[in-house]
């Protein structure tokens, strides 16, 4: 089940639950944690899009490094699931 969040109270950071799912903007996480999650995010990207449409691991890492405040992930128990 996919849950999309298209309205946020603020872009200062958000952590909450929607339908029992937890969401976090990447800038809220320590840099080391962001780097640890890149492989999981990339695996999810590859499973979600055809090979010619999926972002590369390097591109995802760049996005997270340059604009982490715009990168929203669903994380539970320290693992990425959306």
């Amino acid at each position: 089940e996919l849950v999309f969040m298209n309205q946020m109270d603020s872009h200062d950071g958000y952590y909450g639950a929607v339908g029992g799912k937890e969401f976090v903007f990447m800038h809220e996480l320590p840099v080391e944690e962001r780097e640890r999650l890149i492989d999981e995010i990339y695996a999810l990207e590859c499973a979600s899009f055809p090979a010619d449409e999926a972002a590369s691991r390097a591109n995802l890492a760049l996005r997270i490094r340059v604009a982490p405040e715009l990168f929203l992930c669903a994380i539970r128990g320290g693992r990425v699931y959306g």
Side-chain angles (χ1 to χ4, degrees):
E1 171 189 5
L2 295 177
V3 177
F4 294 96
M5 296 178 61
N6 54 16
Q7 292 186 348
M8 302 283 175
D9 290 335
S10 105
H11 287 285
D12 295 332
Y14 179 88
Y15 181 82
V18 174
K21 294 179 169 44
E22 297 170 344
F23 297 88
V24 63
F25 281 106
M26 293 300 278
H27 78 279
E28 298 178 89
L29 300 174
V31 173
E32 299 81 22
E33 182 71 0
R34 295 177 209 171
E35 292 173 0
R36 184 188 72 76
L37 295 173
I38 290 173
D39 288 331
E40 290 184 37
I41 294 167
Y42 179 60
L44 184 61
E45 180 82 2
C46 291
S48 301
F49 294 97
D52 63 333
E53 294 179 16
S56 68
R57 186 190 184 289
N59 189 286
L60 289 170
L62 176 66
R63 292 178 196 180
I64 292 168
R65 188 173 61 250
V66 173
E69 70 278 3
L70 301 176
F71 205 100
L72 181 67
C73 281
I75 300 173
R76 181 179 290 145
R79 302 293 308 262
V80 174
Y81 67 92

